[in-house]
């Protein structure tokens, strides 16, 4: 929580990170439909981007294929940029990721982002299924360079990478590095790439990461100047009590999904998720109120909190992580947060764009 507002950013400098939550008993179609509705709400409210995180083997998170999800979301929104937050580049071949996002950028010009990062720690069985090994975990800088070379080979004056030409090469999507530590920030800086820091998961590293990035930034990248975004976990509501209740609900569901045994059936999981809140879960929710990576409260309190995070990190952009499994609640959080920010209201009716946009 923040008691004093700092100079803030307009809603157009705020974005959204989503994991496509899917609770036991909820169909994949229903979970995806809710995420589409949240993306549409973000689009209407004037948010800049809507990114989907790549997570594998995490119960309750359905965002395992950001490229596919970005295509679905782009077809059902009008203006907002869609992308990955982030593709786990050490789990994939750079050529495949370049081809996927080049096709997206061709279909939706100026609306596609490619956020990349290292693979998160996963259980051994998940790592084996993804083909991960210790060497792969350390190969991020090399894979990032290869990815950027593939994406740029369609530009005038660029030679192909070896004998391989990128399918549907054209104007490449911007590449962002997403990380939670100074070493990852330096990888972005050395290549002149924009940076997003996962402040909501590693707030203690944010300031050091920003300093490392700005101190070592090479003005040789696409923008020629540093660009920093930070993620913030957000719960916003009309009253403090309602915001706290939403946070407690989120903590209860996330904690129980995480601790449930792998062989639990959907029926057993649904029973496990039933209220009431345990004392341990209540304490965890209360501790989050003091975490610098989380902002919880009313419209004015959340606005002040987001402004303080942006000011302290010197951030150009803030990416909200709405802390709720229910799509209606996630949309409500974004709506309440946006109401406290300077923004432009949509003045034209929504329409579904053609799947393939014309340049």
């Amino acid at each position: 929580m923040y008691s004093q507002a700092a100079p803030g950013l307009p809603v157009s400098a705020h974005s959204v990170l989503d994991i496509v939550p899917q609770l036991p008993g909820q169909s994949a179609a229903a979970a995806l439909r809710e995420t589409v509705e949240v993306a549409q709400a973000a689009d209407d409210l004037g948010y800049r981007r809507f990114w989907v995180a790549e997570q594998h083997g995490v119960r309750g998170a359905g965002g395992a294929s950001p490229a596919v999800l970005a295509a679905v979301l782009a077809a059902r929104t009008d203006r907002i940029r869609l992308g990955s937050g982030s593709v786990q580049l050490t789990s994939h071949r750079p050529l495949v990721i370049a081809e996927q996002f080049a096709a997206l950028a061709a279909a939706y010009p100026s609306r596609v982002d490619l956020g990349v990062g290292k693979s998160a720690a996963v259980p051994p069985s998940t790592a084996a299924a993804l083909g991960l090994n210790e060497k792969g975990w350390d190969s991020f800088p090399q894979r990032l360079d290869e990815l950027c070379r593939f994406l740029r080979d369609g530009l005038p004056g660029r030679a192909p990478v070896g004998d391989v030409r990128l399918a549907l090469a054209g104007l490449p999507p911007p590449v962002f590095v997403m990380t939670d530590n100074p070493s990852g920030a330096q990888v972005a800086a050395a290549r002149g790439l924009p940076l997003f820091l996962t402040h909501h998961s590693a707030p203690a590293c944010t300031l050091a990461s920003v300093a490392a990035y700005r101190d070592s930034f090479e003005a040789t990248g696409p923008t020629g100047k540093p660009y920093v975004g930070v993620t913030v976990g957000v719960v916003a509501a009309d009253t403090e009590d309602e915001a706290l209740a939403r946070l407690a609900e989120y903590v209860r569901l996330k904690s129980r999904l995480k601790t449930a045994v792998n062989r639990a059936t959907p029926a057993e999981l649904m029973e496990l998720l039933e209220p009431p809140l345990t004392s341990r879960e209540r304490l965890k929710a209360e501790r989050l109120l003091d975490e610098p990576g989380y902002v919880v409260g009313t419209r004015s309190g959340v606005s002040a909190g987001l402004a303080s995070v942006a000011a302290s990190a010197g951030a150009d952009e803030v990416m909200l992580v709405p802390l709720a499994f229910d799509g209606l609640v996630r949309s409500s959080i974004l709506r309440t947060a946006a109401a406290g920010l300077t923004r432009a209201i949509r003045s034209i009716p929504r329409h579904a764009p053609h799947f393939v946009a014309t340049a």
Side-chain angles (χ1 to χ4, degrees):
M1 302 287 287
Y2 297 83
S3 59
Q4 185 177 0
L9 300 170
V11 72
S12 58
H14 291 74
S15 300
V16 183
L17 178 63
D18 199 88
I19 64 168
V20 192
Q22 182 184 9
L23 287 173
Q26 184 183 35
S27 69
L32 184 54
R33 183 169 57 251
E34 286 193 2
T35 297
V36 168
E37 292 169 352
V38 177
Q40 289 175 336
D43 192 18
D44 289 342
L45 292 164
Y47 286 93
R48 180 176 294 176
R49 314 177 204 277
F50 191 95
W51 285 4
V52 179
E54 179 183 354
Q55 297 189 10
H56 299 279
V58 179
R59 187 181 279 122
S65 182
V68 174
L69 293 168
V72 172
L73 297 172
R76 289 160 176 81
T77 53
D78 296 336
R79 175 204 56 81
I80 197 167
R81 300 185 66 92
L82 288 309
S84 53
S86 59
V87 166
Q88 298 175 2
L89 193 54
T90 47
S91 300
H92 306 282
R93 289 295 182 185
L95 174 62
V96 175
I97 300 303
E99 289 174 336
Q100 291 173 350
F101 280 83
L104 277 171
Y108 301 100
S110 302
R111 289 194 59 206
V112 175
D113 297 325
L114 174 50
V116 297
K118 293 178 66 173
S119 300
V122 294
S125 57
T126 303
L130 291 170
L132 287 174
N133 54 51
E134 291 185 4
K135 183 179 179 181
W137 288 69
D138 296 328
S139 64
F140 177 67
Q142 294 75 25
R143 292 187 184 219
L144 177 60
D145 289 338
E146 187 177 344
L147 173 74
C148 291
R149 288 199 301 271
F150 277 125
L151 286 172
R152 294 170 187 167
D153 78 3
L155 296 178
R158 293 281 185 175
V161 181
D163 294 327
V164 180
R165 271 206 175 275
L166 182 66
L168 294 177
L171 187 65
V175 176
F176 298 77
V177 172
M178 188 170 247
T179 186
D180 64 0
N181 58 72
S183 62
Q186 288 177 323
V187 169
R191 291 153 181 81
L193 295 174
L195 173 73
F196 265 92
L197 294 167
T198 51
H199 181 65
H200 76 287
S201 63
C205 297
T206 296
L207 294 183
S209 298
V210 171
Y213 175 71
R214 294 193 181 279
D215 289 346
S216 55
F217 185 83
E218 296 287 343
T220 56
T223 64
K225 59 182 180 180
Y227 189 91
V228 175
V230 292
T231 64
V232 182
V234 176
V235 180
D238 291 336
T239 67
E240 291 281 354
D241 287 344
E242 185 181 358
L244 294 176
R246 285 179 173 179
L247 176 65
E249 168 81 355
Y250 172 78
V251 168
R252 176 171 65 82
L253 293 175
K254 184 176 181 180
S255 299
R256 296 185 191 183
L257 285 172
K258 185 176 181 179
T259 57
V261 296
N262 290 331
R263 291 188 297 275
T265 65
E268 290 170 335
L269 284 170
M270 291 177 70
E271 183 177 352
L272 178 69
L273 298 178
E274 289 296 318
L277 203 68
T278 67
S279 57
R280 177 175 293 182
E281 290 164 350
R282 189 179 303 277
L283 286 173
K284 185 173 183 179
E286 291 173 352
R287 284 198 299 269
L288 286 181
L289 297 175
D290 296 322
E291 287 286 331
Y294 291 80
V295 176
V296 179
T298 62
R299 177 179 67 183
S300 59
V302 166
S303 175
L306 294 174
S308 291
V309 170
S312 64
D316 301 288
E317 185 173 340
V318 178
M319 182 167 277
L320 281 63
V321 184
L323 303 179
F325 284 85
D326 184 277
L328 289 176
V329 177
R330 300 205 306 282
S331 295
S332 176
I333 289 172
L334 297 180
R335 194 170 293 110
T336 303
L341 304 167
T342 304
R343 63 194 179 107
I345 305 294
R346 171 184 292 279
S347 59
I348 58 173
R350 169 171 300 286
H351 66 281
H354 298 294
F355 179 69
V356 178
T358 56

